[in-house]
Amino acid sequence: MQLKNIDMNFVKGIFISGANNISNKKEFINELNVFPVPDGDTGTNMTLTIMSAVAELERLDKLTANSIAKAISNGSLRGARGNSGVILSQLFRGFCKDIKDRDEITLEALASALAHATESAYKAVMKPKEGTILTVARAMAEKAAELLSTEDDIVAFLEQVVECGDEALARTPELLPVLKEAGVVDSGGQGLMEIMRGFMLALKGEPVVLEGEAVPQKLARGAGLLEDIPTITPSSMKGSSRDDISTADIKYGYCTEFIILLDKEISDDQVEGIKKFLLSIGDSLVCVADDEVVKIHIHTNHPGLAFEEGLKYGQLTRCKIDNMREEHTERISFSMTPGLAAEGLGSGKTSDKSESSGSENGAVDSSSEDKAASDEPKKKYGFVVVSAGEGLSNIFTEIGVDHIIQGGQTMNPSTEDILSAIEKVNAEYVFVLPNNKNIVLAANQAADITEDKKVMVVSTSTIPQGIAAMLSFNEDAEPGENLEYMNGAITDIKSGEVTFAVRDTSVEGKEIRKNNIMGISDNGIDVVGTEIEEVTTGLVETLVDEDAGLVSLYYGEDVTKEDAEAYAEKLEEELSGKGFDVEVDVRFGGQPIYYYILSVE
């Protein structure tokens, strides 16, 4: 029996089948990452992204083309993690824009939606590279257009489209030499094909069932599955209780937050109307709107009136009311002893775990401090950075960062995590420093969505670049000038990381065995060996030159303070013996997986 069209009532099940299939294969996809570092997370990132869309689908009371499209588009957009997740979210976004007003999906509609999905994904990447998920998506879209003249059965149509996608995936090593050397296909393309296979199996009456846990629980935050990843504020790092503010100074007592799931597209005038009404009953307003949702944060004495206003435009979700007067009193009564801040940069001294405040991994509940900060006058500049490790977070706090998102190599924060941090910064201009090349696209996506303040993404791809960029900031300069200064500072510093290999492979002409120690610079894997200090020294020597004056070492959670200090002295002597007049500064970073993060300047 031929299938001529797909009823929208079945789309939810088809989509979940695709999500389940990639979740079941995520570890296999992770293993396809070219670099054998212990953070190969393409499969995990794509799973978290699509599962965020599934979570939105599960919340729907009524399944319509419009509601399904909004749930998939918005859920994946906000839950997107890593470059692969952002590209996947854009594929879904383009696809959903094409189907949102249809009663059913025909062959023509399917081909059109695949074309628009590919177009949207290519636009999201500044410099599209062939041999990636983009290549695979484009091949399937082109095949779909070609089949329109010869095929009239959707199942047969999709089987041929998937077959074409598999062929394009198999060709990715011919387009990217690094894939060919490692003997793998593109991991993002593989992830896309697993999703497509899940779709096809559901259409054939064989939907994929989830095996075990969809994603590791610690990675599910921000994906619509668990609470958002915590952020850190300078005041929470130091245990500030803000007891200098009396409850009488709190004009509006209830911090009210909610999301409006829009019934239909909202106009700019309607958004302005919502803002005008809310400001008439409160202050500290944050109102962020896109095609599918409006996120509201308001301090008011009448939360019910705020909810009533939101209900004019759609359903409400994630409603939350906090009594700030009550919480303020509790903060004064139970305030913690202030922790020790990180020592000043450039001192040449070390800081250890005992000098850090906050919980394990530096993740501190900052909600109370956010409310207090939002009552203060808006400042001109604010900063959000991504960091991993208590010591590194302390350093960023010391040099003026407002919010630190815990994440990085081992856990890429989602677009929603970055959006949430931006919203909590009470500033006109917010600089976001992703400090990882796999987070830049999510940061840019968050900047595009934010409407109530100007967001500028500094293209930092390493922690040392983030520190250098922050130190180059000039409070008296204009926003554009500061963005130029901060991006310029990135080019003046060389970064490196020392970690271990998780599998045997060959990369850039280097044979690597599982558990080898690798020294990785901005250019790739520079040094491979069996000893941490030996590899670290080799990496530093590839980065230093006659102009170098300072080597900064940030030691991770698996290195002791004593070993790091002893090694720093030894390294400085070895470099001096080779004619390099450099100072070696060592600090506690506390980062997982990476024994040392280092910079040369």
Side-chain angles (χ1 to χ4, degrees):
M1 180 178 175
Q2 289 187 330
L3 182 64
K4 299 287 188 180
N5 54 66
I6 303 171
D7 191 289
M8 293 306 297
N9 289 323
F10 297 113
V11 171
K12 176 181 176 181
I14 293 169
F15 188 81
I16 291 175
S17 177
N20 288 346
N21 201 46
I22 189 174
S23 179
N24 294 342
K25 306 288 180 57
K26 64 182 178 293
E27 293 304 330
F28 165 66
I29 297 166
N30 285 342
E31 288 295 318
L32 293 176
N33 283 273
V34 171
F35 286 95
V37 293
D39 57 4
D41 51 8
T42 300
T44 300
N45 279 344
M46 294 181 76
T47 298
L48 284 165
T49 300
I50 195 170
M51 284 299 179
S52 181
V54 168
E56 290 296 323
L57 276 176
E58 296 287 10
R59 294 189 183 100
L60 295 179
D61 295 325
K62 185 177 181 181
L63 296 178
T64 65
N66 192 260
S67 67
I68 290 170
K70 284 182 178 180
I72 294 173
S73 178
N74 188 60
S76 61
L77 181 72
R78 292 175 178 271
R81 292 176 185 271
N83 293 341
S84 57
V86 171
I87 293 171
L88 180 63
S89 74
Q90 289 298 325
L91 285 169
F92 289 151
R93 188 179 180 111
F95 189 96
C96 289
K97 277 189 175 182
D98 202 277
I99 68 166
K100 66 179 183 178
D101 297 321
R102 301 180 185 271
D103 295 326
E104 58 185 19
I105 299 177
T106 62
L107 277 174
E108 291 77 11
L110 189 55
S112 176
L114 287 171
H116 282 102
T118 302
E119 181 183 351
S120 178
Y122 266 89
K123 286 181 178 178
V125 182
M126 185 173 294
K127 295 180 179 179
K129 184 182 293 186
E130 296 304 329
T132 65
I133 183 175
L134 295 172
T135 303
V136 177
R138 191 186 74 245
M140 288 192 288
E142 291 174 350
K143 184 66 174 179
E146 175 189 322
L147 289 171
L148 278 179
S149 60
T150 61
E151 191 56 69
D152 59 0
D153 176 49
I154 285 183
V155 174
F157 172 89
L158 193 60
E159 284 179 332
Q160 293 176 72
V161 168
V162 169
E163 182 181 355
C164 175
D166 283 334
E167 291 171 354
L169 178 64
R171 291 193 299 269
T172 56
E174 302 302 321
L175 298 173
L176 280 179
V178 67
L179 295 176
K180 188 172 185 178
E181 182 183 8
V184 296
V185 295
D186 178 67
S187 56
Q190 183 73 55
L192 178 60
M193 293 315 303
E194 298 304 340
I195 293 170
M196 293 295 294
R197 243 181 296 284
F199 293 166
M200 183 178 67
L201 286 169
L203 276 174
K204 295 171 72 174
E206 305 167 13
V208 179
V209 177
L210 192 64
E211 300 171 2
E213 187 181 15
V215 288
Q217 214 177 50
K218 69 177 182 177
L219 296 179
R221 296 170 181 165
L225 308 176
L226 293 178
E227 293 298 320
D228 289 339
I229 292 176
T231 56
I232 302 173
T233 63
S235 50
S236 63
M237 291 287 286
K238 299 176 183 177
S240 171
S241 66
R242 295 302 306 272
D243 55 4
D244 57 315
I245 303 174
S246 81
T247 57
D249 294 325
I250 301 176
K251 183 178 179 181
Y252 298 104
Y254 297 97
C255 176
T256 305
E257 299 177 6
F258 58 97
I259 295 176
I260 308 171
L261 301 177
L262 295 170
D263 289 336
K264 58 184 178 180
E265 191 170 339
I266 193 169
S267 68
D268 291 342
D269 288 343
Q270 287 174 312
V271 173
E272 289 304 314
I274 293 173
K275 292 179 180 178
K276 183 176 180 181
F277 173 79
L278 293 176
L279 286 174
S280 73
I281 62 168
D283 64 7
S284 300
L285 173 65
V286 176
C287 178
V288 182
D290 63 17
D291 293 342
E292 294 86 19
V293 302
V294 179
K295 293 192 69 176
I296 302 292
H297 168 283
I298 182 76
H299 291 179
T300 180
N301 290 327
H302 303 284
L305 293 179
F307 290 151
E308 287 292 335
E309 180 69 12
L311 285 168
K312 294 178 182 178
Y313 301 93
Q315 301 178 58
L316 303 188
T317 186
R318 302 190 191 181
C319 302
K320 181 175 140 186
I321 303 173
D322 292 318
N323 186 328
M324 293 187 293
R325 296 186 180 94
E326 182 180 83
E327 291 185 359
H328 175 79
T329 302
E330 289 175 356
R331 288 202 304 275
I332 296 174
S333 301
F334 302 106
S335 60
M336 297 172 59
T337 301
L340 297 175
E343 295 185 56
L345 293 177
S347 65
K349 298 180 181 180
T350 62
S351 56
D352 203 358
K353 293 182 182 180
S354 61
E355 297 171 342
S356 303
S357 62
S359 63
E360 184 179 359
N361 298 326
V364 181
D365 181 4
S366 62
S367 59
S368 298
E369 297 301 334
D370 292 332
K371 293 162 193 162
S374 64
D375 285 330
E376 298 173 355
K378 180 177 284 189
K379 57 183 181 177
K380 185 173 183 179
Y381 293 121
F383 304 91
V384 170
V385 305
V386 180
S387 175
E390 294 174 279
L392 295 172
S393 296
N394 275 329
I395 290 171
F396 277 119
T397 299
E398 187 75 8
I399 57 180
V401 169
D402 297 277
H403 278 273
I404 298 170
I405 304 172
Q406 287 297 302
Q409 292 290 78
T410 56
M411 183 169 62
N412 297 151
S414 67
T415 299
E416 179 70 25
D417 296 325
I418 299 170
L419 270 173
S420 178
I422 291 170
E423 288 175 12
K424 292 172 183 175
V425 176
N426 191 24
E428 183 180 358
Y429 297 92
V430 179
F431 289 89
V432 177
L433 287 72
N435 297 338
N436 186 295
K437 63 182 180 181
N438 206 36
I439 303 175
V440 174
L441 282 182
N444 286 332
Q445 193 155 267
D448 290 340
I449 294 174
T450 304
E451 295 182 353
D452 64 310
K453 58 190 72 170
K454 178 64 176 177
V455 178
M456 298 183 171
V457 178
V458 186
S459 54
T460 53
S461 58
T462 67
I463 290 289
Q465 287 181 359
I467 293 173
M470 282 299 303
L471 292 174
S472 70
F473 176 78
N474 181 354
E475 185 73 35
D476 297 324
E478 291 302 309
E481 293 176 319
N482 266 316
L483 184 62
E484 185 177 341
Y485 295 155
M486 297 172 86
N487 279 322
I490 296 171
T491 63
D492 296 332
I493 193 166
K494 301 175 184 177
S495 306
E497 303 162 330
V498 179
T499 187
F500 59 93
V502 294
R503 61 180 177 274
D504 297 347
T505 189
S506 175
V507 179
E508 298 169 352
K510 297 179 177 65
E511 292 297 323
I512 300 170
R513 299 297 173 214
K514 184 177 180 179
N515 294 325
N516 275 170
I517 306 301
M518 302 179 296
I520 306 170
S521 74
D522 300 329
N523 299 317
I525 300 174
D526 286 337
V527 186
V528 178
T530 58
E531 302 296 329
I532 296 173
E533 292 186 1
E534 175 188 342
V535 170
T536 306
T537 299
L539 178 60
V540 171
E541 289 178 348
T542 66
L543 299 178
V544 295
D545 55 29
E546 58 185 15
D547 297 323
L550 176 67
V551 174
S552 298
L553 295 176
Y554 306 94
Y555 63 94
E557 63 181 11
D558 294 321
V559 179
T560 67
K561 176 181 179 180
E562 293 73 23
D563 286 347
E565 289 180 332
Y567 171 63
E569 291 182 10
K570 177 182 174 182
L571 176 62
E572 190 167 309
E573 290 177 4
E574 290 185 16
L575 292 173
S576 178
K578 294 182 179 181
F580 295 110
D581 183 19
V582 297
E583 176 187 353
V584 177
D585 180 55
V586 60
R587 301 186 172 283
F588 171 60
Q591 68 275 2
I593 293 178
Y594 290 81
Y595 302 113
Y596 287 102
I597 292 175
L598 59 90
S599 65
V600 175
E601 52 190 305

